[in-house]
Amino acid sequence: MTSDLKVGCQTFTWEMLGKAWTGTPDDLLSAISAGGYSGIEITDTMIGHYAAKPGDFARALKDSGLQLVSFAFGSKSGFTVAEAINDDLATTQRWIDYAAQFPSALVSIGSATVVSEGPRDDKFAIAAEFYNRAGALGKASGVDIAVHPSSHHNTLLFDRADYDRIFALLDPALVGWVPDTGHILRGHEDILDTMRTYQDRIRYLHLKDVDANDRWAMLGKGVLDTPSVIDLVAKAPRFNGWLVLEEESDAAGADPVTAVKTNRDTMRSYGA
């Protein structure tokens, strides 16, 4: 493994708890820092009272010994509704302006999702238009934009054919990629070939594991060949060195703090 690897934590481990999670962003920073991470990827849902206070969030990160890797957000439009593009771009600019306050932070945009009737061809075209225009906004502000395909319900970006289709429509100079190992494995088994084919688009990596039945598993307890994936992304020309762990297993649902700490310990066994 390269010595330049950095390990961050995604806050969806807590976000997935829904109303059962009653903590604050400061609780997240505390748990992630205590877990041994050096970075955080936070979402628009979990940013809480820091949403309009990037300076305060920067101070809280510094006090916790953490760096903002990326700011992630989604939309009720699923980025596939033409009438919502302008509103989604306004939201994108808001979070670009936010991320611009943090050195090297990216903006990660969620997976295109089917939320209405209509031909899939049209939805790919709408999503691609949105992602490319979002990428142009990011470029103008000096903030990298990356898309995060998912395997969630009604995703438009599930299997290899979907990946090939969306990447054919995206401008690689404007829109990068956050491969998520768990979501790729759930949609198609050719994870290494997929990542090798689009290696030049990779900005950073989401590491998640699944078992043989496509259920979320703790890192190292499923079918993911973690060392091979890390070796591959480490050679990507625009990879920034960040491995972001995102845990969604039942173990994380029961005890997120212990789960993310366990995953950090697992990463050390891989040399990161």
Side-chain angles (χ1 to χ4, degrees), residues 10-253:
Q10 224 281 355
T11 59
F12 191 75
T13 299
W14 290 268
E15 184 174 340
M16 70 178 186
L17 302 179
K19 293 181 179 179
W21 166 249
T22 58
T24 69
D26 295 297
D27 294 325
L28 300 177
L29 298 183
S30 177
I32 291 169
S33 177
Y37 293 85
S38 55
I40 181 174
E41 178 180 11
I42 199 164
T43 70
D44 54 341
T45 301
M46 303 303 279
I47 192 66
H49 64 275
Y50 289 120
K53 300 176 181 178
D56 289 354
F57 190 49
R59 284 186 285 275
L61 287 173
K62 183 177 180 180
D63 290 344
S64 301
L66 296 172
Q67 180 177 339
L68 181 64
V69 180
S70 181
F71 192 98
F73 76 97
S75 171
K76 291 181 180 179
S77 75
F79 307 117
T80 59
V81 177
E83 294 77 11
I85 286 181
N86 287 336
D87 286 343
D88 285 338
L89 288 172
T91 300
T92 303
Q93 187 65 64
R94 175 191 179 187
W95 297 127
I96 286 172
D97 293 342
Y98 194 94
Q101 306 301 309
F102 301 84
S104 302
L106 291 87
V107 169
S108 171
I109 303 179
S111 188
T113 304
V114 178
V115 298
S116 61
E117 299 295 328
R120 281 174 62 85
D121 285 353
D122 292 350
K123 299 184 189 308
F124 276 98
I126 294 165
E129 179 186 349
F130 165 72
Y131 287 137
N132 283 325
R133 291 176 65 182
L137 292 177
K139 185 174 183 179
S141 299
V143 174
D144 267 1
I145 299 294
V147 62
H148 175 268
S150 172
S151 62
H152 63 62
H153 180 63
N154 281 346
T155 180
L156 191 68
L157 308 177
F158 181 67
D159 61 21
R160 177 60 183 270
D162 295 336
Y163 280 53
D164 291 342
R165 192 164 190 183
I166 195 67
F167 284 135
L169 296 171
L170 298 183
D171 184 341
L174 297 176
V175 184
W177 177 33
V178 186
D180 184 302
T181 56
H183 288 304
I184 298 173
L185 284 169
R186 277 158 55 108
H188 37 122
E189 296 179 355
D190 62 341
I191 181 169
L192 293 178
D193 183 67
T194 301
M195 294 180 66
R196 194 175 295 111
T197 300
Y198 299 108
Q199 191 173 26
D200 61 335
R201 301 181 188 239
I202 296 172
R203 298 298 188 269
Y204 64 101
L205 178 69
H206 267 199
L207 274 173
K208 275 206 296 287
D209 214 338
V210 298
D211 66 18
N213 296 309
D214 290 340
R215 295 175 301 207
W216 301 122
M218 289 287 292
L219 192 64
K221 302 298 184 182
V223 300
L224 178 66
D225 184 352
T226 305
S228 292
V229 167
I230 295 174
D231 284 343
L232 191 155
V233 298
K235 298 178 177 69
R238 298 193 65 180
F239 174 60
N240 66 6
W242 281 105
L243 307 173
V244 174
L245 312 189
E246 183 183 23
E247 186 53 58
E248 299 184 43
S249 66
D250 290 343

